[in-house]
Amino acid sequence: MPENLLQNINSPKDLRQIPEKDLPQLARELRDFIIDIVSVKEGHLGASLGVIELTIALHYVFNTPEDLLVWDVGHQAYGHKILTGRKDNFDTNRQLGGISGFPKRSESEYDTFGVGHSSTAISAALGMAIASNLKGDFEKNHIAVVGDASIASGMAFEGLNHAGVTDANLLVILNDNAIGIDPSVGALKNYLTSVKEGKNPRQNNMIKSLNFDYSGPIDGHDIFAVIKELERLKKTKGPKFLHIITTKGKGLQQAEKDQVKYHAPGKFDKFTGEIIIKSEENLPPKFQDVFGLTLLELAEKNEKIIGITPAMPSGSSLKFMMDAFPKRAFDVGIAEQHAVTLSAGMATQGMTVFCNIYSTFLQRAYDQVIHDVALQNLPVIFCLDRAGLVGEDGATHHGVFDLAYLRCIPNMIIYSPLNEIELRNILYTAQLGLKNPIAIRYPRGRGVIVDWKKPFEKIEIGKGKLLKKGNKIAILSNGFIGYNVTEALNEISNKNDFAHYDFSFVKPLDEKLLHTIFQKFETIITLENGTIKGGFGSSILEFASNNNYQVPIKILGIPDEFIEHGTVQELQRYSKIDAESLKNIFESY
């Protein structure tokens, strides 16, 4: 057996010097390298392990970076990063100041398009291919690698629909492993399964009917078969489609067996694959579990409750309701626009619909929120998980814009619970019946209250509340980030100068309470786990302007830039909204 091959590869040019017969060894080494580092540093695991052979084959056959390779979502791009010059700093993946967990144009010329949300690769690669034609370059290849969960999204279909009527030199590779983060769903998944099983006649092939040169399915782990087919497709002009079958988590037995858990397993033993269990005894719950368990509790008594999520049943904890009431809880796949309008349709028929979407993914359905829900004033209950800074997934995933982009929509109620009990109570309040749509935003991770399952209490819409009395300065915080204020105030000597108010409702604002605050205090400080442009603090400025108040107002929150990856604590510190930074700010008054 040749010496270690990976240690000598710093670019695809090095890779192409390796004899083809030795590539299976390289695949084993690349898998081991990823497992070694992710087992200690954490990150996304199963997706990259599943495309090792494909990754090697793509860079072996095509002349990257001149040929343009676009990875959809990017969970599967670890092998790509390692082979394209980032092997030596791969251990910094997803860490503050380190490389991104997703392809990123500013990081490498091999990262041709920045990704993080799904289903963008086909449109991006098609755009590149059409641009190449316009520049007279008809030899350049443009490759989009997309998963079977991502290709079911509307945007991917739009890209296929357009590509099929062009002469663009585009290759779409369907990485079919029957799972995204959770198992793939829907009629297209069933169609692909029948194709893999040989039950669907070739003349019925829906991809061929869209004008693509279709080939496959082939075994995505047979590197020689993949290379042979890529070599053929490299010489074929026009839109092409290669269907490969892979196993997510390939090469690590536990990751193959439990593909959901090993999508991003945390720390694990690289030899046995066993996940290193963190003790959760006496810890506060995750906000997502408070949502999921409370919704199940409410659904047991209220038969009109419906749960909907676009491909995040485990991440959102809607899985609890899906298991108990499969006819009333729906995973609609990576289809945020459909999820919102489906919710609206159900709401017209008197159903109480909880539409659970990560904050960053609701951005993808903004028109539907306005046009299909708010304009018709349908009382859809949006539950926005991962609101605020989310940590290591970085700029594509931070849920920092929702307060700003929702606040300008008429009819919308916006609420950020201070803690788990208030999340529980607003879910209860919403299902009692509201006249307007509501967005309930809550953060990733754990809360602060271990004993959170208290009897339900109805929340009065639009009411703020005093958390701490003070004399000179009023701090107005929105939601869970308010605990940083509490911690900071406990550490300062002049704490009696500061009053602290929780404004969980950004819309409607408690204007009665605001008048009292503006008439009493010398200075006002606002704090939010969202962008300072257009968010909660901006709403307070608008109130002051509309009512001719001259009180100085300082807005604290996420600065006007895209925040990169790091732990939540590190990113809060960077944004100066962690408890220590707040303490320093308060002491300066």
Side-chain angles (χ1 to χ4, degrees):
M1 180 182 288
E3 62 178 334
N4 184 284
L5 299 171
L6 183 60
Q7 68 180 3
N8 297 316
I9 295 177
N10 296 303
S11 75
K13 288 181 182 177
D14 299 329
L15 167 64
R16 294 171 199 133
Q17 302 306 310
I18 296 174
E20 187 175 323
K21 66 179 177 61
D22 292 336
L23 293 180
Q25 177 188 332
L26 177 62
R28 289 191 295 273
E29 292 175 9
L30 188 52
R31 276 198 175 88
D32 289 344
F33 187 87
I34 291 172
I35 289 169
D36 280 355
I37 290 179
V38 176
S39 67
V40 176
K41 298 289 188 175
E42 303 187 15
H44 297 104
L45 179 69
S48 286
L49 295 183
V51 293
I52 292 297
E53 288 81 9
L54 175 63
T55 303
I56 293 171
L58 284 167
H59 286 293
Y60 196 75
V61 171
F62 292 101
N63 185 30
T64 55
E66 282 73 25
D67 288 331
L68 300 174
L69 172 59
V70 182
W71 295 92
D72 201 82
V73 185
H75 290 142
Q76 70 274 47
Y78 286 6
H80 159 82
K81 291 204 167 204
I82 293 162
L83 295 176
T84 56
R86 286 162 281 185
K87 178 175 83 261
D88 292 342
N89 61 349
F90 185 70
D91 61 340
T92 69
N93 184 45
R94 303 173 82 244
Q95 296 179 29
L96 186 69
I99 64 173
S100 169
F102 300 95
K104 186 176 179 184
R105 278 171 53 82
S106 61
E107 189 176 289
S108 169
E109 63 179 337
Y110 292 92
D111 292 359
T112 61
F113 201 76
V115 293
H117 297 181
S118 90
S119 314
T120 60
I122 297 173
S123 297
L126 176 60
M128 295 170 183
I130 292 173
S132 292
N133 281 359
L134 292 171
K135 292 189 289 186
D137 187 348
F138 301 103
E139 299 305 313
K140 188 189 291 282
N141 289 281
H142 312 82
I143 307 106
V145 181
V146 60
D148 59 284
S150 294
I151 205 168
S153 174
M155 187 175 178
F157 270 106
E158 292 167 22
L160 289 172
N161 182 55
H162 183 193
V165 294
T166 72
D167 58 356
N169 198 17
L170 171 70
L171 169 59
V172 176
I173 299 177
L174 174 62
N175 173 35
D176 187 354
N177 58 20
I179 190 168
I181 294 177
D182 287 275
S184 302
V185 297
L188 183 61
K189 180 249 182 145
N190 295 339
Y191 166 79
L192 293 172
T193 300
S194 67
V195 171
K196 286 187 285 187
E197 294 173 350
K199 295 176 183 176
N200 202 291
R202 290 187 70 83
Q203 61 267 30
N204 266 358
N205 188 294
M206 65 181 292
I207 303 299
K208 289 185 74 173
S209 70
L210 292 173
N211 261 357
F212 279 78
D213 179 329
Y214 173 91
S215 59
I218 65 172
D219 179 359
H221 300 300
D222 182 344
I223 195 165
F224 303 116
V226 175
I227 287 174
K228 182 180 178 181
E229 186 57 23
L230 290 179
E231 291 283 9
R232 182 187 77 81
L233 292 168
K234 183 180 179 181
K235 302 181 185 77
T236 305
K237 300 303 180 186
K240 305 165 288 280
F241 192 102
L242 173 59
H243 185 176
I244 70 168
I245 302 168
T246 64
T247 300
K248 188 172 183 179
K250 180 73 172 178
L252 185 66
Q253 187 177 358
Q254 287 87 341
E256 293 184 32
K257 191 182 301 181
D258 193 342
Q259 295 175 330
V260 174
K261 187 178 290 185
Y262 281 81
H263 172 74
K267 290 184 173 68
F268 62 94
D269 187 307
K270 67 181 181 182
F271 299 108
T272 68
E274 293 299 318
I275 293 174
I276 298 170
I277 304 297
K278 300 174 185 174
S279 174
E280 297 187 356
E281 191 174 351
N282 296 321
L283 288 179
K286 294 178 180 177
F287 276 97
Q288 69 182 60
D289 289 340
V290 174
F291 161 78
L293 293 168
T294 301
L295 186 63
L296 174 59
E297 186 179 346
L298 294 169
E300 287 169 346
K301 296 179 180 178
N302 184 345
E303 294 182 354
K304 289 187 176 182
I305 286 179
I306 302 289
I308 293 174
T309 185
M312 292 293 165
S314 297
S316 70
S317 294
L318 187 66
K319 192 82 166 57
F320 296 128
M321 185 178 172
M322 289 176 67
D323 290 343
F325 300 106
K327 291 185 178 180
R328 291 165 51 199
F330 303 91
D331 174 4
V332 300
I334 303 174
E336 294 87 359
Q337 295 175 325
H338 169 60
V340 171
T341 304
L342 178 70
S343 300
M346 288 189 173
T348 68
Q349 301 306 301
M351 307 308 287
T352 302
V353 189
F354 288 80
C355 184
N356 185 281
I357 301 183
Y358 288 9
S359 168
T360 186
F361 296 146
L362 188 64
Q363 295 164 189
R364 315 190 90 195
Y366 190 53
D367 179 63
Q368 286 69 26
V369 173
I370 295 173
H371 182 275
D372 298 337
V373 177
L375 184 62
Q376 303 183 95
N377 204 22
L378 294 170
V380 174
I381 304 159
F382 293 105
C383 299
L384 306 190
D385 199 339
R386 274 50 168 190
L389 295 166
V390 298
E392 292 83 353
D393 280 341
T396 56
H397 282 60
H398 295 314
V400 297
F401 302 112
D402 53 35
L403 290 176
Y405 72 67
L406 292 174
R407 196 172 67 80
C408 61
I409 303 175
N411 294 332
M412 184 67 68
I413 301 169
I414 306 171
Y415 181 83
S416 308
L418 177 65
N419 54 41
E420 304 93 315
I421 293 174
E422 295 204 350
L423 173 56
R424 180 172 164 79
N425 284 335
I426 196 65
L427 296 173
Y428 166 74
T429 302
Q431 60 89 46
L432 292 176
L434 295 173
K435 294 179 180 179
N436 307 90
I438 184 172
I440 304 165
R441 69 183 305 265
Y442 47 93
R444 182 185 184 197
R446 297 185 182 278
V448 291
I449 300 173
V450 176
D451 184 19
W452 59 275
K453 282 195 175 182
K454 301 294 186 183
F456 290 118
E457 294 182 16
K458 185 177 179 180
I459 289 175
E460 186 177 353
I461 301 298
K463 287 295 178 184
K465 63 183 175 185
L466 174 65
L467 299 178
K468 176 193 172 299
K469 292 181 179 180
N471 303 318
K472 295 181 180 178
I473 300 164
I475 303 166
L476 318 183
S477 62
N478 169 251
F480 186 61
I481 197 72
Y483 277 93
N484 286 6
V485 175
T486 301
E487 187 177 337
L489 290 178
N490 285 336
E491 297 295 319
I492 64 176
S493 57
N494 58 333
K495 58 173 64 84
N496 290 336
D497 289 345
F498 294 88
H500 182 199
Y501 293 85
D502 172 44
F503 275 78
S504 284
F505 284 100
V506 173
K507 192 172 184 178
L509 281 171
D510 188 342
E511 295 199 354
K512 182 179 179 182
L513 181 57
L514 281 175
H515 281 297
T516 301
I517 292 169
F518 272 86
Q519 290 163 10
K520 178 178 178 181
F521 293 96
E522 300 172 5
T523 302
I524 290 171
I525 301 172
T526 71
L527 174 66
E528 60 201 291
N529 193 1
T531 177
I532 59 173
K533 298 290 187 180
F536 167 60
S538 293
S539 73
I540 302 302
L541 282 175
E542 291 164 13
F543 171 84
S545 175
N546 290 338
N547 292 280
N548 297 314
Y549 286 115
Q550 303 299 314
V551 179
I553 300 171
K554 183 176 182 64
I555 298 177
L556 303 175
I558 309 303
D560 185 27
E561 62 185 271
F562 288 108
I563 305 298
E564 298 298 342
H565 46 279
T567 66
V568 171
Q569 292 75 19
E570 288 169 336
L571 301 181
Q572 284 191 1
R573 191 178 309 125
Y574 174 83
S575 302
K576 295 183 171 52
I577 59 172
D578 65 302
E580 183 64 26
S581 298
L582 294 176
K583 171 178 172 288
N584 294 334
I585 291 169
F586 298 159
E587 285 180 334
S588 69
Y589 281 89

